[in-house]
Amino acid sequence: MDYQTLLDEAIKEAQLGLNEGGIPIGSVLADKDGNIVARGHNQRVQSGDPTAHAEVDCIRNAGRRRDWHELILVSTLSPCVMCTGTSLLFRIPKVIIGENQTFKGAEDLFAQKGVELINLDSDICKQLMKDFIADRPDLWNEDIGL
């Protein structure tokens, strides 16, 4: 399975969010064969919903399913505790992240629950977040609860 291709699709979602005036974090959900079954991006600013993080948006867009235990969640950034909890609730067994340098989420919870976490350490993802945080620190701090 080509994780980089999946991450590239999550990056497209992050860019879409940024272009909408939001926070550039994107996510996709793929089946065991690497086919994307849902997409999402952080829409907290656009919707006014504080829970509309990229991973939650993506999982919502997946709708009702019975194959959660076979899916792969891909995110441009290490998931926060809310997004981690959502993926744990649905027993998603593998999470691919673009980076955890600008923000390290609740990765320890994934480890405790036996979820495989793969960090692709993407320079694109890191630069996207660094630029955003430098440009909009107020919005970023609001998003992470500071």
Side-chain angles (χ1 to χ4, degrees):
M1 183 171 307
D2 185 358
Y3 298 140
Q4 185 58 54
T5 297
L6 293 174
L7 181 60
D8 290 344
E9 292 301 312
I11 291 169
K12 289 178 186 175
E13 287 292 322
Q15 192 62 53
L16 181 60
L18 183 62
N19 293 345
E20 294 172 349
I23 297 165
I25 304 170
S27 184
V28 296
L29 200 58
D31 66 17
K32 61 185 177 182
D33 297 320
N35 301 307
I36 294 174
V37 299
R39 299 169 173 273
H41 55 275
N42 188 304
Q43 295 194 53
R44 193 183 60 75
V45 173
Q46 301 91 309
S47 68
D49 177 355
T51 68
H53 286 200
E55 301 87 349
V56 171
D57 183 53
C58 184
I59 290 170
R60 284 178 182 152
N61 290 338
R64 294 178 61 191
R65 306 186 66 89
R66 294 181 183 222
D67 63 345
W68 295 106
H69 64 284
E70 297 177 340
L71 300 179
I72 299 165
L73 181 66
V74 182
S75 180
T76 57
L77 187 65
S78 180
C80 72
V81 69
M82 177 182 69
C83 297
T84 297
T86 303
S87 64
L88 291 174
L89 176 68
F90 291 101
R91 294 183 172 88
I92 297 171
K94 185 180 288 189
V95 176
I96 310 299
I97 62 172
E99 65 107 349
N100 67 359
Q101 190 175 45
T102 56
F103 178 80
K104 187 168 184 177
E107 294 176 20
D108 57 328
L109 294 177
F110 285 133
Q112 289 173 17
K113 296 294 183 177
V115 172
E116 182 180 3
L117 177 72
I118 299 171
N119 182 355
L120 296 183
D121 197 32
S122 164
D123 289 335
I124 294 170
C125 292
K126 286 186 266 191
Q127 195 62 53
L128 188 62
M129 288 308 300
K130 285 178 185 176
D131 290 347
F132 177 77
I133 292 168
D135 187 46
R136 297 294 313 268
D138 57 328
L139 192 54
W140 172 242
N141 288 338
E142 180 185 321
D143 193 61
I144 60 172
L146 294 179

